[in-house]
Amino acid sequence: MGQAPQPNIETRTPGTVTRQDLVHVDPGAWASWLRSREDLAGVPHLAGWAEACRPLIVRRRVPGEGAETVPLGLPLPPADGKRRIGLALPAEHLTRLNGPSLAEAAAHAPAAWQATIAAALALGDSYGSNPRPFGGLLWQAMTGLVYLTATSDLDLLWPCREPVPTGLLDRLASIAEKAPMRLDGEILLPDGTGLHWRELRDAPEGGTVLAKGLDGLGMRPVAPLRTWEPA
């Protein structure tokens, strides 16, 4: 496993974060929050998380969470119970991070995944979409901790403008059929809305697809989101 890369800190205004963005928390604010969570006392890795510049991920808000804070998540490695910790912090304590591209994270993936990663990168080049990892590969690449197991999925985000070409979706499905792992993930629209790529591909023309955003879930019609193109 390669060494975790030093995160690239971006100076974009914290309030502009969207779902699936990565952020670094000011160590003082992190320590203060952690002291407020007695239930997390002794949980591995948390005490030095912010000092190590390890990320948190922006998640969807749940009922009761207001816009005055940013909803965040942190999954622990499988060996530590694979616990998913949710929290919300004021934006002024956060700095957005640039996560690794799939090409940058590939060194942290198993050898058996490399052909699938190469095919995904070639597909992204064809459509001008630079796929980004999330899930276990992202966390392993950014923390240096072990998140990937023999049953892990390869989770990818595909930044796209709408409408999304069906050729991209069909070729992604072809890659998934040959992959040694489950190839999962989302089409990520410019406003941060996420659409599961399989659902978008398989939905009937007059149907709808679940759209995930920072402030909730909603069903959107498929027709404006997808443009036909030969596979």
Side-chain angles (χ1 to χ4, degrees), residues 172-231:
L172 186 51
S174 295
I175 294 171
E177 288 175 1
K178 302 169 187 172
M181 83 301 283
R182 177 175 170 81
L183 184 57
D184 211 348
E186 298 179 353
I187 301 295
L188 193 65
L189 301 180
D191 66 354
T193 297
L195 311 167
H196 194 282
W197 71 262
R198 279 192 179 89
E199 293 179 7
L200 182 60
R201 175 181 182 264
D202 296 339
E205 186 61 26
T208 58
V209 65
L210 181 66
K212 300 177 182 179
L214 179 65
D215 294 310
L217 303 172
M219 301 303 296
R220 290 183 56 176
V222 166
L225 292 172
R226 197 173 59 188
T227 183
W228 185 85
E229 180 191 66

Side-chain angles (χ1 to χ4, degrees), residues 7-18 20-30 49-50 53-58 70 72 89-99 142:
N8 181 11
I9 297 179
E10 189 181 275
T11 57
R12 193 175 76 176
T13 304
T16 64
V17 295
T18 60
Q20 300 287 15
D21 277 350
L22 300 172
V23 298
H24 172 248
V25 182
D26 172 77
W30 178 256
W49 195 268
C53 209
R54 290 172 174 164
L56 302 177
I57 194 164
V58 180
V70 178
L72 304 165
L89 294 172
E92 59 263 27
H93 298 313
L94 308 176
T95 305
R96 189 174 179 272
L97 301 177
N98 284 324
M142 292 203 73

